[in-house]
């Protein structure tokens, strides 16, 4: 049948995109690098994929809607409260620093590649964004200090929609200029461009605010059933994008961005599930988009760019970025080593490539000179920055002394009473924890006790974007749901290593269920004889975390006999301060001078008041 080659092509793209994502996860590099390389391989190199022949007239709508989804998702993570609390450095980076970067890149493109000035400024707007989907995986490999990590992470989140909006405005200026020259009314171009900008801003902001507010009300007041939240939001994004473009060409991108920002900043609107829905949708959509776009690259276009393109890349890496950081960090408390690393890390990513492909297609349709070179040039910048910085940034961080030391803190899955008791006990030992849970009441209780939290699924793509792992080196899975624990162990195995994964059993019923529960790996936390239900029941009965110091006259054997079936030893701290976790797989032999952290029932504590075992620390969090 005629359609069978198309079906095979679509299936092959889907399979290849997932393979690229898996390879990226395995080697800890941004997936965009492998997606672009795969597209180039099956497109211009092997000649297996011709996107224009495969999609036909649907290629342009596919790219447009994909960009709309990308921008909406990015803006949905942009909370104004977070921006207001950022350091002055970050605010400068996305304002004055952004303008400096834009100008330098535009001038370099104009000077080295002889681009028309307007097209050079369009490329400058496209090449200044550093998306979080590229930076966050890189930060996990580099592991810089928390200060550097936070600055880079928030820069990427904030600058994404700003760069896209700048590109939209420059594109409209180009279109207006082109129309004015064709019609012979160049004197009116400037005025028409101003009116076009004004119309785009009015339509984008007004429709975005209205639709975002209406959607927020529908979610808050439960006008939509829960199972329709995700698909209704997606349908609305497509609809407002199309309607806005009918009023004014390219206003749709601004509309979906404003709608996402407005929705993200409304009070009491449950957007968590909508963000989670983006995991399955955008992974496939974005992966397919980049393979398809890379497959359209013509190597002849790279030859047209020549070595001058590498001069533009060098300017971006060695001039624009360092100068931006120098200006943005002027007068700040950052050391020169921290500024140097900030001046090196700025990988380009998803929004840059997607928006470049979109505008390149449109400008080619109106016959704009050198518009076909936008995509290969932005791809060169993406691949160059990702490869160069991924290979060198960790080395530079260590050389400059701004890399995190060996991480010793815990990522705890669950913020239930058991997890909170353990986290507080660890904090008293100087060990911090980050508690992850989807139960808001648990998260709120943890925050009331001064614990760091992440509200969401630790295995989600939202966690990939927003969960800061700096300083975290061990996983302790304490959720009541075995599936959540297993997913977390599988997800963070590559991050922490097998020997730093610990899972508390959720049941002790039968051997088969236990083997299934730990099939993904991880050591059995606190031994094979206790489960989440057992320890939670102890806390409900009034058990508390307690520290006991062992001595020559009161060793671990004495402790075990005295607290038999009345306490569960969880951690042992040796005289050098090293924390060890009791597990079913390894035996710990605490000696004199060691300290035990245990969950102890109240009757055992009462019996032991004033005994030689000591009572240095108690923690009890039942609420």
């Amino acid at each position: 049948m005629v359609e069978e080659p198309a079906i095979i092509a679509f299936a092959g793209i889907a399979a290849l995109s997932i393979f690229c994502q898996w390879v990226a996860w395995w080697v800890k590099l941004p997936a965009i690098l492998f997606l672009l390389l795969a597209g180039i391989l099956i497109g211009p190199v092997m000649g297996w994929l011709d996107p224009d022949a495969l999609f036909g007239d649907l290629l342009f709508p596919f790219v447009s809607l994909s960009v709309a989804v990308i921008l909406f998702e990015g803006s949905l993570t942009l909370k104004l409260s977070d921006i207001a609390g950022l350091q002055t450095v970050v605010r400068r980076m996305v304002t004055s620093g952004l303008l400096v970067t834009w100008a330098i890149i535009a001038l370099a493109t104009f000077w080295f590649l002889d681009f028309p000035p307007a097209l050079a400024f369009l490329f400058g707007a496209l090449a200044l964004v550093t998306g979080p989907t590229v930076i966050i995986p890189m930060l996990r490999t580099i592991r810089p200090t928390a200060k550097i990590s936070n600055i880079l992470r928030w820069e990427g989140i904030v600058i994404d929609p700003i760069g896209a909006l700048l590109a939209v405005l420059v594109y409209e200026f180009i279109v207006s200029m082109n129309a004015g020259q064709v019609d012979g009314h160049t004197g009116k171009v400037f005025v028409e461009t101003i009116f076009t900008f004004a119309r785009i801003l009015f339509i984008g902001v007004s429709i975005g605010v209205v639709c975002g507010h209406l959607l927020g009300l529908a979610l808050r007041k439960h006008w939509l059933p829960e199972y329709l939240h995700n698909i209704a939001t997606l349908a609305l994004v497509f609809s407002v994008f199309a309607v806005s473009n009918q009023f004014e060409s390219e206003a749709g991108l601004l509309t979906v961005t404003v709608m996402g920002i407005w929705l993200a900043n409304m009070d009491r609107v449950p957007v968590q599930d909508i963000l989670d829905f983006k995991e399955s949708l955008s992974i496939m959509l974005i992966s397919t988009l980049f393979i398809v776009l890379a497959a359209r690259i013509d190597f002849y276009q790279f030859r047209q760019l020549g070595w001058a393109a590498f001069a533009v890349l060098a300017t971006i890496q060695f001039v624009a970025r360092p100068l931006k950081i120098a200006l943005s960090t002027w007068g700040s408390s950052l050391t020169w080593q921290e500024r140097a690393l900030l001046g090196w890390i700025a990988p380009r990513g998803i929004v840059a490539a997607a928006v470049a492909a979109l505008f390149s297609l449109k400008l080619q349709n109106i016959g704009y000179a050198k518009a076909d070179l936008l995509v290969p040039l932005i791809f060169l910048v993406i691949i160059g920055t990702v490869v160069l910085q991924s290979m060198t940034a960790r080395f530079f961080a260590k050389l400059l002394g701004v890399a995190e030391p060996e991480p010793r803190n815990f990522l705890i899955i669950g913020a239930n009473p058991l997890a909170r008791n353990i986290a507080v006990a660890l904090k008293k030992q100087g060990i911090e924890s980050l508690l992850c849970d989807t139960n808001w009441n648990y998260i709120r209780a943890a925050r009331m006790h001064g614990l760091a939290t992440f509200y969401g699924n630790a295995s989600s793509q939202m966690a990939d974007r927003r969960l800061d792992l700096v300083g975290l080196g061990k996983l302790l899975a304490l959720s009541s749901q075995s599936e959540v624990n297993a997913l977390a162990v599988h997800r963070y195995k590559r991050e922490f290593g097998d020997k730093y994964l610990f899972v508390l059993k959720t049941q002790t019923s039968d051997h088969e269920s236990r083997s299934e529960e730990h099939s993904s790996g991880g050591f059995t936390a606190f031994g094979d004889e206790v489960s989440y239900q057992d320890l939670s029941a102890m806390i409900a009965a009034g058990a508390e975390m307690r520290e006991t110091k062992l001595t020559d006259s009161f060793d671990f054997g004495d402790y075990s006999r005295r607290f038999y079936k009345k306490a569960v030893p969880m951690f042992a701290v040796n005289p050098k301060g090293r924390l060890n976790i009791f597990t079913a797989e390894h035996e710990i032999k605490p000696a004199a001078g060691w300290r035990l952290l245990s969950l102890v029932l109240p009757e055992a504590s009462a019996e032991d008041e004033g005994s030689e075992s000591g009572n240095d620390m108690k923690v009890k969090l039942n609420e």
Side-chain angles (χ1 to χ4, degrees):
M1 296 179 64
V2 178
E3 66 269 16
E4 282 191 3
I7 293 176
I8 294 173
F10 285 127
I13 292 172
L16 183 59
S17 66
I18 297 304
F19 176 75
C20 291
Q21 292 281 352
W22 177 82
V23 172
W25 165 79
W26 183 258
V27 301
K28 295 185 180 180
L29 286 175
I32 186 175
L33 178 62
F34 300 97
L35 293 168
L36 296 180
L37 293 178
I40 293 173
L41 179 64
I42 66 174
V45 175
M46 306 297 296
W48 293 346
L49 177 63
D50 182 356
D52 294 278
L54 178 63
F55 287 89
D57 293 337
L58 294 178
L59 179 61
F60 176 71
F62 170 70
V63 175
S64 298
L65 290 175
S66 298
V67 174
V69 172
I70 294 168
L71 289 183
F72 175 75
E73 183 275 329
S75 62
L76 202 58
T77 65
L78 188 59
K79 288 185 175 292
L80 298 179
S81 58
D82 292 332
I83 299 174
L86 291 177
Q87 300 179 23
T88 303
V89 171
V90 178
R91 291 196 294 270
R92 291 176 184 170
M93 290 172 73
V94 299
T95 52
S96 57
L98 177 146
L99 296 176
V100 169
T101 304
W102 186 14
I104 292 175
I105 297 175
L107 288 173
T109 308
F110 171 75
W111 180 266
F112 292 114
L113 292 172
D114 196 27
F115 271 29
L119 192 65
F121 272 97
L122 176 60
F123 177 77
L126 295 170
L128 61 81
V129 298
T130 58
T133 54
V134 183
I135 284 183
I136 290 177
M138 189 178 292
L139 290 177
R140 290 181 173 176
T141 302
I142 301 169
R143 289 191 178 276
T145 59
K147 189 182 296 185
I148 295 175
S149 178
N150 288 333
I151 290 174
L152 290 173
R153 187 162 54 93
W154 283 110
E155 179 199 13
I157 292 173
V158 175
I159 208 170
D160 246 358
I162 296 176
L165 292 183
L166 288 177
V168 170
L169 295 180
V170 177
Y171 168 78
E172 283 301 326
F173 178 79
I174 292 175
V175 172
S176 299
M177 283 287 296
N178 189 72
Q181 291 171 355
V182 170
D183 295 337
H185 301 290
T186 55
K188 298 181 180 179
V189 169
F190 181 76
V191 175
E192 291 177 355
T193 302
I194 295 298
F195 278 112
T196 300
F197 286 172
R199 287 196 301 270
I200 290 177
L201 290 175
F202 175 76
I203 292 171
V205 172
S206 58
I207 296 180
V209 168
V210 170
C211 292
H213 193 76
L214 290 176
L215 178 58
L217 289 178
L219 297 175
R220 180 195 296 167
K221 296 181 179 295
H222 306 287
W223 293 342
L224 287 171
E226 202 167 305
Y227 72 92
L228 286 180
H229 284 188
N230 299 329
I231 196 67
T233 301
L234 179 63
L236 183 61
V237 169
F238 288 162
S239 299
V240 299
F241 176 77
V243 170
S244 298
N245 278 346
Q246 287 298 312
F247 284 113
E248 185 64 48
S249 179
E250 303 315 321
L253 293 179
L254 177 58
T255 302
V256 296
T257 303
V258 172
M259 187 174 81
I261 294 174
W262 189 271
L263 188 63
N265 290 277
M266 287 184 67
D267 293 331
R268 297 177 289 109
V269 175
V271 297
Q272 184 65 42
D273 289 340
I274 297 173
L275 279 171
D276 289 342
F277 173 64
K278 186 257 181 189
E279 291 178 44
S280 56
L281 173 65
S282 65
I283 286 178
M284 181 59 70
L285 187 63
I286 294 171
S287 299
T288 303
L289 177 66
F290 283 115
I291 290 178
V292 169
L293 294 179
R296 295 185 74 250
I297 292 178
D298 185 352
F299 281 139
Y300 176 72
Q301 295 173 334
F302 280 112
R303 290 195 295 270
Q304 283 183 288
L305 291 173
W307 291 103
F310 291 94
V312 174
L313 174 61
T315 303
I316 293 172
Q317 181 69 51
F318 298 106
V319 179
R321 181 64 179 183
L323 183 57
K324 171 182 177 177
I325 296 302
L327 295 175
S328 300
T329 59
W330 183 267
S332 71
S333 60
L334 293 172
T335 64
W336 73 266
Q337 294 93 336
E338 291 170 328
R339 299 181 193 191
L341 189 61
L342 285 172
W344 183 251
I345 303 175
R348 271 57 178 180
I350 285 174
V351 170
V355 179
L358 176 62
F359 289 152
S360 176
L361 284 172
K362 292 192 172 188
L363 291 176
Q364 288 179 65
N365 288 338
I366 64 174
Y368 200 83
K370 295 193 175 183
D372 59 323
L373 300 181
L374 273 179
V375 172
L377 183 58
I378 200 68
F379 279 6
L380 178 67
V381 171
I382 291 171
I383 295 174
T385 54
V386 171
V387 171
L388 179 63
Q389 295 168 25
S390 296
M391 294 176 61
T392 59
R394 177 62 181 172
F395 170 76
F396 285 150
K398 289 183 176 180
L399 183 66
L400 295 169
V402 291
E404 278 286 328
E406 191 64 28
R408 60 193 296 264
N409 298 330
F410 280 85
L411 174 65
I412 297 181
I413 307 302
N416 47 64
L418 172 63
R420 299 199 298 269
N421 273 270
I422 291 175
V424 171
L426 291 174
K427 190 171 185 177
K428 290 182 178 292
Q429 302 297 320
I431 298 175
E432 297 294 332
S433 302
L434 176 62
L435 282 68
C436 302
D437 210 307
T438 56
N439 185 316
W440 173 247
N441 292 328
Y442 286 168
I443 290 292
R444 181 172 55 186
R447 291 176 179 177
M448 290 177 64
H449 290 97
L451 300 172
T453 63
F454 174 79
Y455 178 46
N457 187 338
S459 303
S460 66
Q461 191 173 0
M462 178 185 176
D464 288 343
R465 296 190 309 270
R466 302 179 67 90
L467 188 57
D468 188 0
L469 295 181
V470 173
L472 303 179
K474 300 175 183 177
L475 175 77
L476 185 55
L478 301 177
S479 171
S480 61
Q481 303 176 50
S482 60
E483 297 84 359
V484 173
N485 291 335
L487 282 173
V489 168
H490 180 74
R491 165 64 185 81
Y492 292 97
K493 184 179 298 186
R494 293 283 298 170
E495 301 285 351
F496 300 142
D498 290 329
K499 64 180 181 178
Y500 296 120
L501 306 173
F502 305 92
V503 186
L504 176 63
K505 294 189 306 182
T506 58
Q507 55 186 340
T508 56
S509 56
D510 57 79
H511 180 271
E512 182 178 353
S513 63
R514 290 197 297 271
S515 63
E516 290 177 358
E517 189 166 354
H518 293 282
S519 60
S520 61
F523 296 118
T524 307
F526 315 138
D528 200 38
E529 301 301 320
V530 296
S531 67
Y532 173 84
Q533 287 83 355
D534 299 330
L535 298 181
S536 296
M538 290 179 64
I539 289 179
E544 57 192 27
M545 291 295 296
R546 181 172 179 180
E547 177 184 311
T548 304
K549 186 174 182 179
L550 301 181
T551 63
D552 291 327
S553 59
F554 186 79
D555 59 17
F556 187 59
D558 297 325
Y559 176 88
S560 300
R561 287 186 290 272
R562 174 170 294 179
F563 293 102
Y564 180 66
K565 290 188 176 182
K566 297 178 182 178
V568 176
M570 294 181 172
F571 306 94
V573 184
N574 67 19
K576 295 182 179 181
R578 180 181 178 84
L579 184 80
N580 300 272
I581 302 179
F582 285 95
T583 66
E585 292 78 9
H586 295 102
E587 182 181 3
I588 299 177
K589 296 180 179 180
W594 286 55
R595 290 172 288 121
L596 302 178
L597 301 181
S598 311
L599 187 65
V600 185
L601 286 168
E603 58 267 25
S605 296
E607 293 173 5
D608 198 51
E609 285 294 333
S611 73
E612 58 187 331
S613 65
N615 192 17
D616 300 325
M617 182 274 289
K618 291 183 179 181
V619 178
K620 181 179 180 181
L621 300 174
N622 288 326
E623 64 275 12

PDB file of all heavy atoms in Angstrom, residues 193-212:
ATOM      1  N   THR A 193       5.593  48.803  11.126  1.00  0.00           N
ATOM      2  CA  THR A 193       6.201  47.851  12.049  1.00  0.00           C
ATOM      3  C   THR A 193       5.804  48.151  13.484  1.00  0.00           C
ATOM      4  O   THR A 193       5.506  47.232  14.264  1.00  0.00           O
ATOM      5  CB  THR A 193       7.735  47.874  11.906  1.00  0.00           C
ATOM      6  OG1 THR A 193       8.083  47.569  10.554  1.00  0.00           O
ATOM      7  CG2 THR A 193       8.375  46.866  12.841  1.00  0.00           C
ATOM      8  N   ILE A 194       5.787  49.423  13.858  1.00  0.00           N
ATOM      9  CA  ILE A 194       5.377  49.792  15.210  1.00  0.00           C
ATOM     10  C   ILE A 194       3.937  49.345  15.473  1.00  0.00           C
ATOM     11  O   ILE A 194       3.619  48.786  16.526  1.00  0.00           O
ATOM     12  CB  ILE A 194       5.513  51.316  15.424  1.00  0.00           C
ATOM     13  CG1 ILE A 194       6.980  51.738  15.335  1.00  0.00           C
ATOM     14  CG2 ILE A 194       4.918  51.720  16.764  1.00  0.00           C
ATOM     15  CD1 ILE A 194       7.867  51.112  16.386  1.00  0.00           C
ATOM     16  N   PHE A 195       3.063  49.577  14.505  1.00  0.00           N
ATOM     17  CA  PHE A 195       1.678  49.156  14.678  1.00  0.00           C
ATOM     18  C   PHE A 195       1.567  47.630  14.737  1.00  0.00           C
ATOM     19  O   PHE A 195       0.750  47.088  15.484  1.00  0.00           O
ATOM     20  CB  PHE A 195       0.807  49.706  13.534  1.00  0.00           C
ATOM     21  CG  PHE A 195       0.370  51.125  13.738  1.00  0.00           C
ATOM     22  CD1 PHE A 195       0.856  52.146  12.927  1.00  0.00           C
ATOM     23  CD2 PHE A 195      -0.520  51.449  14.753  1.00  0.00           C
ATOM     24  CE1 PHE A 195       0.460  53.457  13.121  1.00  0.00           C
ATOM     25  CE2 PHE A 195      -0.918  52.765  14.954  1.00  0.00           C
ATOM     26  CZ  PHE A 195      -0.433  53.775  14.136  1.00  0.00           C
ATOM     27  N   THR A 196       2.395  46.943  13.954  1.00  0.00           N
ATOM     28  CA  THR A 196       2.378  45.479  13.998  1.00  0.00           C
ATOM     29  C   THR A 196       2.807  44.975  15.364  1.00  0.00           C
ATOM     30  O   THR A 196       2.180  44.077  15.948  1.00  0.00           O
ATOM     31  CB  THR A 196       3.309  44.892  12.910  1.00  0.00           C
ATOM     32  OG1 THR A 196       2.867  45.327  11.631  1.00  0.00           O
ATOM     33  CG2 THR A 196       3.308  43.375  12.963  1.00  0.00           C
ATOM     34  N   PHE A 197       3.887  45.566  15.895  1.00  0.00           N
ATOM     35  CA  PHE A 197       4.325  45.189  17.240  1.00  0.00           C
ATOM     36  C   PHE A 197       3.207  45.416  18.251  1.00  0.00           C
ATOM     37  O   PHE A 197       2.944  44.581  19.116  1.00  0.00           O
ATOM     38  CB  PHE A 197       5.559  46.013  17.647  1.00  0.00           C
ATOM     39  CG  PHE A 197       6.823  45.589  16.954  1.00  0.00           C
ATOM     40  CD1 PHE A 197       7.976  46.344  17.097  1.00  0.00           C
ATOM     41  CD2 PHE A 197       6.867  44.448  16.167  1.00  0.00           C
ATOM     42  CE1 PHE A 197       9.158  45.970  16.460  1.00  0.00           C
ATOM     43  CE2 PHE A 197       8.042  44.060  15.526  1.00  0.00           C
ATOM     44  CZ  PHE A 197       9.187  44.824  15.672  1.00  0.00           C
ATOM     45  N   ALA A 198       2.569  46.573  18.148  1.00  0.00           N
ATOM     46  CA  ALA A 198       1.509  46.916  19.096  1.00  0.00           C
ATOM     47  C   ALA A 198       0.348  45.926  19.002  1.00  0.00           C
ATOM     48  O   ALA A 198      -0.216  45.509  20.023  1.00  0.00           O
ATOM     49  CB  ALA A 198       1.021  48.341  18.845  1.00  0.00           C
ATOM     50  N   ARG A 199      -0.016  45.551  17.775  1.00  0.00           N
ATOM     51  CA  ARG A 199      -1.113  44.591  17.610  1.00  0.00           C
ATOM     52  C   ARG A 199      -0.748  43.224  18.184  1.00  0.00           C
ATOM     53  O   ARG A 199      -1.571  42.580  18.837  1.00  0.00           O
ATOM     54  CB  ARG A 199      -1.475  44.477  16.130  1.00  0.00           C
ATOM     55  CG  ARG A 199      -2.220  45.672  15.561  1.00  0.00           C
ATOM     56  CD  ARG A 199      -2.873  45.335  14.225  1.00  0.00           C
ATOM     57  NE  ARG A 199      -1.894  44.906  13.226  1.00  0.00           N
ATOM     58  CZ  ARG A 199      -1.283  45.729  12.399  1.00  0.00           C
ATOM     59  NH1 ARG A 199      -1.538  47.034  12.444  1.00  0.00           N
ATOM     60  NH2 ARG A 199      -0.425  45.269  11.501  1.00  0.00           N
ATOM     61  N   ILE A 200       0.491  42.795  17.917  1.00  0.00           N
ATOM     62  CA  ILE A 200       0.929  41.499  18.459  1.00  0.00           C
ATOM     63  C   ILE A 200       0.887  41.513  19.983  1.00  0.00           C
ATOM     64  O   ILE A 200       0.383  40.579  20.623  1.00  0.00           O
ATOM     65  CB  ILE A 200       2.353  41.161  17.969  1.00  0.00           C
ATOM     66  CG1 ILE A 200       2.348  40.845  16.487  1.00  0.00           C
ATOM     67  CG2 ILE A 200       2.922  39.975  18.740  1.00  0.00           C
ATOM     68  CD1 ILE A 200       3.715  40.567  15.920  1.00  0.00           C
ATOM     69  N   LEU A 201       1.405  42.596  20.571  1.00  0.00           N
ATOM     70  CA  LEU A 201       1.413  42.691  22.032  1.00  0.00           C
ATOM     71  C   LEU A 201      -0.008  42.725  22.584  1.00  0.00           C
ATOM     72  O   LEU A 201      -0.319  42.045  23.576  1.00  0.00           O
ATOM     73  CB  LEU A 201       2.188  43.938  22.469  1.00  0.00           C
ATOM     74  CG  LEU A 201       3.707  43.897  22.234  1.00  0.00           C
ATOM     75  CD1 LEU A 201       4.330  45.249  22.588  1.00  0.00           C
ATOM     76  CD2 LEU A 201       4.345  42.788  23.055  1.00  0.00           C
ATOM     77  N   PHE A 202      -0.870  43.503  21.963  1.00  0.00           N
ATOM     78  CA  PHE A 202      -2.242  43.612  22.459  1.00  0.00           C
ATOM     79  C   PHE A 202      -2.973  42.272  22.349  1.00  0.00           C
ATOM     80  O   PHE A 202      -3.606  41.806  23.311  1.00  0.00           O
ATOM     81  CB  PHE A 202      -3.010  44.688  21.692  1.00  0.00           C
ATOM     82  CG  PHE A 202      -4.460  44.775  22.079  1.00  0.00           C
ATOM     83  CD1 PHE A 202      -4.843  45.384  23.268  1.00  0.00           C
ATOM     84  CD2 PHE A 202      -5.441  44.225  21.261  1.00  0.00           C
ATOM     85  CE1 PHE A 202      -6.176  45.452  23.626  1.00  0.00           C
ATOM     86  CE2 PHE A 202      -6.776  44.294  21.612  1.00  0.00           C
ATOM     87  CZ  PHE A 202      -7.154  44.909  22.804  1.00  0.00           C
ATOM     88  N   ILE A 203      -2.885  41.650  21.177  1.00  0.00           N
ATOM     89  CA  ILE A 203      -3.585  40.380  20.964  1.00  0.00           C
ATOM     90  C   ILE A 203      -2.990  39.285  21.852  1.00  0.00           C
ATOM     91  O   ILE A 203      -3.717  38.544  22.525  1.00  0.00           O
ATOM     92  CB  ILE A 203      -3.509  39.975  19.480  1.00  0.00           C
ATOM     93  CG1 ILE A 203      -4.325  40.949  18.628  1.00  0.00           C
ATOM     94  CG2 ILE A 203      -4.017  38.548  19.279  1.00  0.00           C
ATOM     95  CD1 ILE A 203      -4.131  40.755  17.138  1.00  0.00           C
ATOM     96  N   GLY A 204      -1.661  39.194  21.866  1.00  0.00           N
ATOM     97  CA  GLY A 204      -1.028  38.146  22.654  1.00  0.00           C
ATOM     98  C   GLY A 204      -1.304  38.270  24.137  1.00  0.00           C
ATOM     99  O   GLY A 204      -1.662  37.294  24.792  1.00  0.00           O
ATOM    100  N   VAL A 205      -1.169  39.479  24.677  1.00  0.00           N
ATOM    101  CA  VAL A 205      -1.377  39.677  26.108  1.00  0.00           C
ATOM    102  C   VAL A 205      -2.845  39.534  26.475  1.00  0.00           C
ATOM    103  O   VAL A 205      -3.196  38.846  27.448  1.00  0.00           O
ATOM    104  CB  VAL A 205      -0.833  41.053  26.539  1.00  0.00           C
ATOM    105  CG1 VAL A 205      -1.215  41.342  27.985  1.00  0.00           C
ATOM    106  CG2 VAL A 205       0.679  41.103  26.373  1.00  0.00           C
ATOM    107  N   SER A 206      -3.736  40.153  25.708  1.00  0.00           N
ATOM    108  CA  SER A 206      -5.156  40.126  26.065  1.00  0.00           C
ATOM    109  C   SER A 206      -5.741  38.719  25.970  1.00  0.00           C
ATOM    110  O   SER A 206      -6.379  38.232  26.923  1.00  0.00           O
ATOM    111  CB  SER A 206      -5.951  41.087  25.175  1.00  0.00           C
ATOM    112  OG  SER A 206      -5.796  40.746  23.803  1.00  0.00           O
ATOM    113  N   ILE A 207      -5.527  38.050  24.850  1.00  0.00           N
ATOM    114  CA  ILE A 207      -6.070  36.692  24.713  1.00  0.00           C
ATOM    115  C   ILE A 207      -5.382  35.735  25.685  1.00  0.00           C
ATOM    116  O   ILE A 207      -6.028  34.873  26.292  1.00  0.00           O
ATOM    117  CB  ILE A 207      -5.916  36.195  23.261  1.00  0.00           C
ATOM    118  CG1 ILE A 207      -6.747  37.054  22.316  1.00  0.00           C
ATOM    119  CG2 ILE A 207      -6.339  34.730  23.141  1.00  0.00           C
ATOM    120  CD1 ILE A 207      -6.652  36.626  20.854  1.00  0.00           C
ATOM    121  N   GLY A 208      -4.082  35.900  25.868  1.00  0.00           N
ATOM    122  CA  GLY A 208      -3.363  35.037  26.800  1.00  0.00           C
ATOM    123  C   GLY A 208      -3.853  35.178  28.223  1.00  0.00           C
ATOM    124  O   GLY A 208      -4.062  34.194  28.922  1.00  0.00           O
ATOM    125  N   VAL A 209      -4.054  36.428  28.662  1.00  0.00           N
ATOM    126  CA  VAL A 209      -4.530  36.661  30.034  1.00  0.00           C
ATOM    127  C   VAL A 209      -5.954  36.132  30.210  1.00  0.00           C
ATOM    128  O   VAL A 209      -6.259  35.437  31.189  1.00  0.00           O
ATOM    129  CB  VAL A 209      -4.464  38.158  30.375  1.00  0.00           C
ATOM    130  CG1 VAL A 209      -5.214  38.446  31.670  1.00  0.00           C
ATOM    131  CG2 VAL A 209      -3.010  38.607  30.497  1.00  0.00           C
ATOM    132  N   VAL A 210      -6.833  36.452  29.272  1.00  0.00           N
ATOM    133  CA  VAL A 210      -8.232  36.023  29.386  1.00  0.00           C
ATOM    134  C   VAL A 210      -8.338  34.495  29.399  1.00  0.00           C
ATOM    135  O   VAL A 210      -8.986  33.907  30.264  1.00  0.00           O
ATOM    136  CB  VAL A 210      -9.078  36.623  28.250  1.00  0.00           C
ATOM    137  CG1 VAL A 210     -10.467  35.988  28.238  1.00  0.00           C
ATOM    138  CG2 VAL A 210      -9.186  38.125  28.418  1.00  0.00           C
ATOM    139  N   CYS A 211      -7.697  33.851  28.434  1.00  0.00           N
ATOM    140  CA  CYS A 211      -7.793  32.388  28.352  1.00  0.00           C
ATOM    141  C   CYS A 211      -7.077  31.708  29.521  1.00  0.00           C
ATOM    142  O   CYS A 211      -7.560  30.699  30.045  1.00  0.00           O
ATOM    143  CB  CYS A 211      -7.203  31.907  27.027  1.00  0.00           C
ATOM    144  SG  CYS A 211      -8.172  32.404  25.586  1.00  0.00           S
ATOM    145  N   GLY A 212      -5.937  32.261  29.927  1.00  0.00           N
ATOM    146  CA  GLY A 212      -5.248  31.695  31.081  1.00  0.00           C
ATOM    147  C   GLY A 212      -6.077  31.803  32.342  1.00  0.00           C
ATOM    148  O   GLY A 212      -6.149  30.869  33.150  1.00  0.00           O
TER     149      GLY A 212
END
